[in-house]
Amino acid sequence: MLTNLIHFIYILSLVCWVGSIVFFSFFTAPVIFTLLDREKAGEVVGVIFPRYYLLGYVCAALTLPALLVSTENLLGAKSILLFVMIAGWFCAGLFVSPKARDLKARIKSAGSAEEKEPLEAQFKTMHSLAVKLNGTVLLAGLGLLWLSATGLKL
């Protein structure tokens, strides 16, 4: 019974995490940026991001111990993919996103175009890094789901 509960927590957490990435990246963000002007859309997404990353932190906190308890091979493919997900997520959520938010605020408060230009370039770099990290976490999550689904009997 306990083993089934651990497996359930693992699958539920992983599916919620990967599902949130898919839903936000391919549905929510595109709709927001289609319906609102760029600046307002950025503000809305900025409000969503802390909750988006919090969901991932909670899912990581549930998925990691569930996988570690249920696996014999700590350096197996599943563990490596999960560690890639966690590293990418925490890097994006704790470092890249706050830096991008700070740059956005500095761009808004900059007085001249000369001040804004380097800040906008830095923001673009941070945004690009965030997108790459998000994609990496998504691909690792899909791989982990695939490996976890092999051997399941319905």
Side-chain angles (χ1 to χ4, degrees):
M1 185 68 173
L2 183 59
T3 302
N4 288 338
L5 178 62
I6 291 169
H7 289 156
F8 174 76
I9 290 169
Y10 167 77
I11 293 293
L12 179 63
S13 300
L14 187 56
V15 167
C16 285
W17 194 358
V18 170
S20 72
I21 297 169
V22 169
F23 187 73
F24 180 77
S25 301
F26 299 105
F27 297 94
T28 306
V31 168
I32 291 170
F33 278 92
T34 299
L35 291 177
L36 303 174
D37 65 82
R38 190 157 193 78
E39 188 167 324
K40 191 51 127 175
E43 288 176 25
V44 170
V45 169
V47 170
I48 293 171
F49 272 147
R51 292 170 180 94
Y52 175 70
Y53 286 113
L54 178 61
L55 177 61
Y57 302 145
V58 170
C59 291
L62 293 170
T63 305
L64 180 61
L67 179 63
L68 294 178
V69 164
S70 64
T71 188
E72 309 88 38
N73 187 359
L74 292 178
L75 294 177
K78 287 181 185 178
S79 297
I80 291 169
L81 288 170
L82 182 56
F83 290 133
V84 167
M85 289 179 72
I86 291 170
W89 197 261
F90 277 75
C91 182
L94 297 176
F95 302 107
V96 177
S97 184
K99 175 75 173 172
R101 190 171 36 253
D102 177 60
L103 286 166
K104 262 303 195 197
R106 290 172 56 198
I107 290 168
K108 278 186 177 182
S109 66
S112 66
E114 293 82 28
E115 284 181 88
K116 287 183 182 184
E117 197 171 304
L119 295 171
E120 287 172 346
Q122 289 176 11
F123 176 80
K124 199 172 192 177
T125 300
M126 287 294 108
H127 180 266
S128 176
L129 179 57
V131 169
K132 289 173 185 166
L133 288 168
N134 199 55
T136 300
V137 173
L138 175 59
L139 290 175
L142 290 171
L144 184 52
L145 275 172
W146 176 264
L147 291 176
S148 299
T150 57
L152 283 180
K153 295 175 185 160
L154 300 178

